[in-house]
Amino acid sequence: MTHSSITRRRLIAIAAMASGAALVGSRRAVANTPIRWTGSALGAQVSIEIYHPDRTEAERLVHLCVQDVRRLEQQFSLYRPDSAICSLNRTGVLVSPDADMVALLRAALDFAVLTDGAFDPTVQPLWNLYAAHFAQEHPAPGGPSADKIAQALSKVDYRHLKVSADRIALLKPGSAITLNGIAQGYATDRVTETLRAAGLSTTLVNMGEIRALGAKPDGTPWQVGLADPDRPDQMSETIGLIDRAVATTASAGFLFDPTGRFTHLFDPHTGQSPSRYRSVSVIAPTATEADAFSTAFSMLPASRIREIVAARPNIQVHLTDANGKTLVHGA
């Protein structure tokens, strides 16, 4: 499973976005003129593009969404020492947890079961191990020793994460969680649903993952580019979205070593970084689902991915293998 979605700059909205944390658009915008906001959240450059005739109301809605995302950051961010997730990792328990923390952890555990443990929110000890190893002045190029990997793996097991409405507990001493393989998708869905509830029907939201609400004003799909796994500033292909979400996981998003043998992706069963695919993109009804599956599928053979996709006909998977060939599975 991936630790850090901060470094996964892999989805590119084709429609040009304004730079900086700002709204652009006329005070009284016409219905087919986009109002765009861009900024940063959850460790990524994020954006909201909506079509609304009243810029003042659009600003209010965007402000509401951004406030909600900042609140989610306080729950899920590993880079805020006072966040709820950091508190859980330090103490092993959260009493009276926030409802969003409970909801996201329950979703994470569901995806862990669906993917045979390929998605596992308890892989944080592996990140800590590799980060410490390669932070040394002269780290062994072969990575941590087998004994140290085994020690870290002994703390990894989603079945020892217990979640209830009044308490979250890590039952294994020294275990810790990360939600960086699913939290951006969850935040994207929260923003999308907030805007839907406000009556919007034409919106493109990117909170690290991308979700389209409806089609563009002319009825055509939103055009979204999938970043090339080796050249993040280039697109490998373009897809159209209508009421769908897309997420991509690429091993090249973060490299511990110059050769790229050790990455931000960790197989929860072996403690190693997988090298099956250069990138995995998932198109699904929600960004949470797309985010989690793109992470999990990075660990799984194509045969198992096909089985999961066959049981969930609403998702499509684009796998780019080591030779650069893209295979598509699903509807």
Side-chain angles (χ1 to χ4, degrees), residues 51-234:
Y51 287 78
H52 198 291
D54 188 333
R55 185 173 185 269
T56 299
E57 176 62 8
E59 287 179 337
R60 187 192 71 81
L61 289 172
V62 168
H63 179 69
L64 180 67
C65 291
V66 172
Q67 279 189 317
D68 197 30
V69 171
R70 299 300 183 214
R71 186 185 62 78
L72 294 178
E73 283 185 302
Q74 192 58 37
Q75 292 295 314
F76 307 145
S77 176
L78 286 167
Y79 300 94
R80 293 188 175 190
D82 61 342
S83 69
I85 194 173
C86 286
S87 177
L88 174 61
N89 287 344
R90 281 193 303 269
T91 66
V93 64
L94 275 181
V95 178
S96 299
D98 184 271
D100 283 300
M101 177 65 81
V102 173
L104 186 50
L105 283 177
R106 283 176 170 166
L109 292 177
D110 287 343
F111 286 114
V113 173
L114 285 169
T115 61
D116 314 315
F119 185 93
D120 191 326
T122 68
V123 296
Q124 184 64 17
L126 288 167
W127 170 273
N128 294 339
L129 172 65
Y130 281 91
H133 176 84
F134 285 101
Q136 298 177 87
E137 188 172 355
H138 299 291
S145 68
D147 286 345
K148 289 185 177 180
I149 292 175
Q151 290 174 15
L153 280 173
S154 71
K155 305 169 187 175
V156 175
D157 191 338
Y158 69 91
R159 292 167 295 187
H160 294 277
L161 170 62
K162 301 303 178 184
V163 181
S164 69
D166 57 359
R167 189 172 183 268
I168 298 170
L170 293 166
L171 302 185
K172 283 196 170 188
S175 61
I177 67 168
T178 173
L179 292 169
N180 286 348
I182 191 173
Q184 288 183 337
Y186 184 85
T188 299
D189 287 335
R190 281 294 298 265
V191 170
T192 303
E193 294 306 326
T194 295
L195 296 174
R196 187 199 300 273
L200 273 68
S201 59
T202 303
T203 299
L204 189 68
V205 176
N206 177 4
M207 293 292 127
E209 315 301 348
I210 293 178
R211 183 173 170 183
L213 178 57
K216 296 178 70 174
D218 62 4
T220 61
W222 297 91
Q223 295 299 306
V224 174
L226 304 183
D228 186 288
D230 298 320
R231 297 173 300 169
D233 59 335
Q234 301 292 321

Side-chain angles (χ1 to χ4, degrees), residues 20-21 37-47 66 69-70 73 207:
W37 174 87
T38 62
S40 61
L42 294 166
Q45 291 301 304
V46 299
S47 61
V66 172
V69 171
R70 299 300 183 214
E73 283 185 302
M207 293 292 127

Side-chain angles (χ1 to χ4, degrees), residues 233-248:
D233 59 335
Q234 301 292 321
M235 292 175 294
S236 60
E237 61 178 308
T238 301
I239 61 172
L241 294 180
I242 298 178
D243 280 325
R244 305 275 279 171
V246 61
T248 299

Side-chain angles (χ1 to χ4, degrees), residues 251-271:
S251 59
F254 179 85
L255 306 177
F256 283 105
D257 66 315
T259 68
R261 178 181 171 187
F262 304 101
T263 76
H264 66 113
L265 295 168
F266 301 109
D267 187 326
H269 302 299
T270 67

Side-chain angles (χ1 to χ4, degrees), residues 1-2 8 10 104 106-115 117-121 179-186 189 209 245-249 265 280-284 286-300 308 312 315:
M1 178 179 168
T2 179
R8 297 188 301 164
R10 69 273 191 213
L104 186 50
R106 283 176 170 166
L109 292 177
D110 287 343
F111 286 114
V113 173
L114 285 169
T115 61
F119 185 93
D120 191 326
L179 292 169
N180 286 348
I182 191 173
Q184 288 183 337
Y186 184 85
D189 287 335
E209 315 301 348
V246 61
T248 299
T249 296
L265 295 168
V280 177
S281 296
V282 176
I283 303 166
T286 70
T288 303
E289 186 176 18
D291 199 4
F293 276 135
S294 71
T295 299
F297 289 169
S298 299
M299 319 295 164
L300 296 174
I308 295 173
R312 302 177 75 89
I315 68 172

